Amino acid sequence: MIKPEQNERRSTLRGKRVIVLGGTSGMGFATAEAAADEGASVVVVSSRQEKVDAAVSRLPQGAEGHAVDLANETQVRDFFGRIGEFDHLVFTAGDPLQLATLGEVDMDAARQMFNLRYWGALMAAKYGSVNIRSGGSITLASGTAGVRPQKGCTVAGSVCGAVEALTKALAVELSPLRVNAVRFGLMRTEMWSGIPEGDRNAMYKAAEKFLPVGRVGEPEDAAEAFLYLMREKYSTGQTIVVDGGATLV
């Protein structure tokens, strides 16, 4: 039988304040929900107020939500200027992926991907780190395209590689604050909403046959990785892999 004091030791997020940027859907929402279930006070942030309101309505009482354009430096700076102290920062923000061969790359869309996924993460670390209490952390999101790109992933792979390099640099720059990343494989989230439903389902079915685990990832799988990096106290500058074994085959 697990004693009450053992439960308390395991629930290391109880009483902590967790901010999830991109926390209104997919991996971000699952992370906010899981952290709240462990007793954390959660703050979710997204660019659209209606999505923020919908997410907060599904979270436990006391959850906060804010509409912030995470690619806009003024808005990011102002948000962290008024939010106060907190313990953990998770960055999962990202528009639906637009995959294209090099000749078809839309440069404006490519720049926007960097603006949100890379520059947004950098700005969040710059303005948010000063508010993080001792023992806290920052965790960023990356993807396997950075280490095993396929055709059409030129921009996505570049962003992932940049985010992982940023993770290492921030871990040194912000020491002793811990900064880590999670490198995700295929996850069944809104990130793929830019692909027609039929093609998207076909992609998932093909992955189920290809992946060693026999299924695609779910938002709850992602949440476990983020919670692990919040809970544990000794890793920094690291990227852990949650990809169903995709990079093995």
Side-chain angles (χ1 to χ4, degrees):
M1 173 181 273
I2 297 175
K3 298 178 181 179
E5 60 269 24
Q6 290 176 311
N7 266 329
E8 189 64 29
R9 284 198 299 271
R10 292 182 181 184
S11 298
T12 53
L13 296 183
R14 185 173 302 281
K16 304 297 184 182
R17 194 178 190 209
V18 177
I19 295 181
V20 185
L21 305 181
T24 60
S25 63
M27 298 187 299
F29 180 80
T31 300
E33 188 173 43
D37 286 345
E38 291 204 0
S41 171
V42 298
V43 181
V44 295
V45 177
S46 184
S47 61
R48 292 165 51 192
Q49 188 65 54
E50 60 269 26
K51 292 190 67 175
V52 171
D53 294 340
V56 170
S57 72
R58 295 163 57 199
L59 290 167
Q61 187 174 7
E64 296 178 48
H66 299 265
V68 179
D69 180 354
L70 295 170
N72 183 302
E73 183 176 9
T74 299
Q75 291 192 32
V76 172
R77 182 183 62 235
D78 290 349
F79 167 72
F80 284 110
R82 65 177 184 270
I83 200 64
E85 291 187 337
F86 58 95
D87 298 283
H88 300 286
L89 177 64
V90 174
F91 191 96
T92 66
D95 293 328
L97 286 179
Q98 302 294 326
L99 304 182
T101 59
L102 184 60
E104 298 173 333
V105 168
D106 182 315
M107 294 308 300
D108 288 335
R111 291 186 184 96
Q112 175 57 24
M113 190 179 292
F114 266 93
N115 282 342
L116 182 54
R117 294 174 181 265
Y118 176 80
W119 293 115
L122 177 60
M123 290 187 293
K126 175 180 179 179
Y127 294 112
S129 59
V130 296
N131 292 349
I132 298 178
R133 300 182 184 109
S134 177
S137 70
I138 297 174
T139 310
L140 308 180
S142 179
T144 54
V147 294
R148 195 169 185 178
Q150 299 178 9
K151 286 187 176 181
C153 292
T154 303
V155 178
S158 301
V159 173
C160 292
V163 168
E164 293 187 21
L166 175 64
T167 298
K168 295 178 181 179
L170 288 175
V172 175
E173 182 79 17
L174 298 176
S175 171
L177 176 66
R178 295 181 298 107
V179 184
N180 295 290
V182 186
R183 181 190 300 155
F184 292 105
L186 182 60
M187 292 280 171
R188 198 190 308 269
T189 70
E190 292 88 341
M191 182 176 68
W192 302 104
S193 62
I195 298 176
E197 184 177 3
D199 294 341
R200 188 166 66 244
N201 290 335
M203 176 181 69
Y204 292 149
K205 287 186 179 298
E208 290 172 358
K209 298 177 182 179
F210 169 77
L211 291 171
V213 297
R215 67 177 180 86
V216 299
E218 302 292 344
E220 294 74 20
D221 299 316
E224 286 297 319
F226 284 120
L227 263 62
Y228 165 74
L229 288 171
M230 284 187 254
R231 291 192 197 103
E232 67 90 41
K233 306 294 184 182
Y234 201 54
S235 295
T236 194
Q238 303 303 307
T239 298
I240 65 171
V241 182
V242 181
D243 70 349
T247 50
L248 299 176
V249 293

